[in-house]
Every structure is written in C-alpha cells, then in structure tokens.
Amino acid sequence: MAAMIASAHFTLMLRVLNTNLNGKETVRYALTAITGVGRRLSGLMCKKAGVDVAKRAGELNEEEIAALVAVLQNPLQCEVPEWFLNRRKDWKDGKTTQVYSNTLSTKLRDDLEVLKKMRAHRGLRHYWGLKAVASTLAPPAVGNCVAAGEGGGGGSI
C-alpha cells in the first residue's frame, strides 16, 4: 500500500454499529466488516450519504459516519430500492428492512426456531445438525478415486 499522509483526524480503528472497521481500507470495503453489509450495499450507502468511495475509512469525520449509519438504519427513506434489502416481507410484520450486526444473528436464530416448531423439513435438518439442503452430487465413480501412489485420479481399475 502506498504511503499515506497522516492527518490529525486519521484513526486506525473505527467503532461503528458494534463493529471495528479498519481505518486503512477504503470506506466501501471497510463497511463490509459490518455483518449484513456487502460490497454492493456499502457502495450504495456511500453514494446515498454523499461520501467519497475512494476515501479511507480513517479519514471519515463524525458527520459522514452519522450519515452512513442513517442510510443503513433507514434505507427506504434514503431511496434505496426494496429489492436491495436483505429482509423482504418479514413473516412476522410483513415489512421490508435491512438487518445488520447483532439483529441479523437474532433474526436467523428466531427463523430457525420457528422452522423447528412447525416441524418443517429445513428446521428438522438444522435441529439434527445435518445440512439444510442435501447435496445433489453423485458419489465419485470407482475409477475416479485417487489410490496411494497414483497422481491424477482419472482412469479405470
């Protein structure tokens, strides 16, 4: 990484929404450390909040951080499209929201508990500790196994 000019207000570690953000990374990639925020959403958040995407996260001031948090907490009011959000038509209240940080793990746990209570196939597989969706791959053919001392694996016995 190129040498950065140290300014008086540069911070190496930011604390935003119970998550530590690396101040050396650009804002777009630093925001992805927050659970529930990906690269596309973080780029859109920067655009809606008016924050320069090329700026380092450690160079953000308090107003820019507050604007980013406001966009994440109220994405529909900031004109983020509904299809962009990760919790559409919640089964409890029917609202479309963006879940992030600790709320995401809580919602996931609640959803799995409901699936277990209603004895749904997916809920039972979670309860038993199996994969929720069984793998559809066929087992390897006899000629494709790698024997001791053989390299490639393809061929017949």
Side-chain angles (χ1 to χ4, degrees):
M1 184 163 67
M4 295 183 348
I5 299 171
S7 62
H9 61 84
F10 185 83
T11 54
L12 285 174
M13 199 61 74
L14 292 160
R15 186 78 174 164
V16 177
L17 297 171
N18 295 330
T19 307
N20 293 330
L21 302 183
N22 188 358
K24 295 179 193 175
E25 293 180 346
T26 59
V27 177
R28 180 176 181 173
Y29 292 106
L31 287 174
T32 60
I34 300 172
T35 308
V37 177
R39 292 183 307 221
R40 291 189 67 201
L41 181 63
S42 64
L44 187 66
M45 285 170 50
C46 293
K47 187 177 177 181
K48 295 292 182 183
V51 176
D52 183 21
V53 181
K55 196 179 220 184
R56 301 282 172 190
E59 298 171 351
L60 293 175
N61 56 25
E62 293 298 324
E63 293 84 26
E64 291 171 330
I65 294 172
L68 286 169
V69 170
V71 170
L72 184 59
Q73 289 177 342
N74 304 310
L76 294 175
Q77 293 176 355
C78 297
E79 299 174 359
V80 174
E82 278 191 18
W83 57 265
F84 216 87
L85 306 179
N86 63 1
R87 183 90 173 166
R88 291 189 283 173
K89 295 182 182 175
D90 188 18
W91 64 272
K92 240 181 202 178
D93 56 8
K95 295 181 181 176
T96 300
T97 57
Q98 176 70 24
V99 239
Y100 53 88
S101 193
N102 298 337
T103 315
L104 183 65
S105 58
T106 304
K107 290 275 189 186
L108 178 65
R109 187 174 52 248
D110 291 345
D111 289 348
L112 290 176
E113 287 301 319
V114 167
L115 287 172
K116 288 176 195 175
K117 276 185 187 176
M118 69 170 48
R119 308 289 290 171
H121 178 72
R122 199 170 119 209
L124 291 175
R125 290 189 69 86
H126 275 288
Y127 178 71
W128 295 327
L130 302 172
K131 289 183 180 180
V133 178
S135 179
T136 58
L137 297 175
V142 176
N144 290 337
C145 61
V146 178
E150 293 181 12
S156 60
I157 294 181

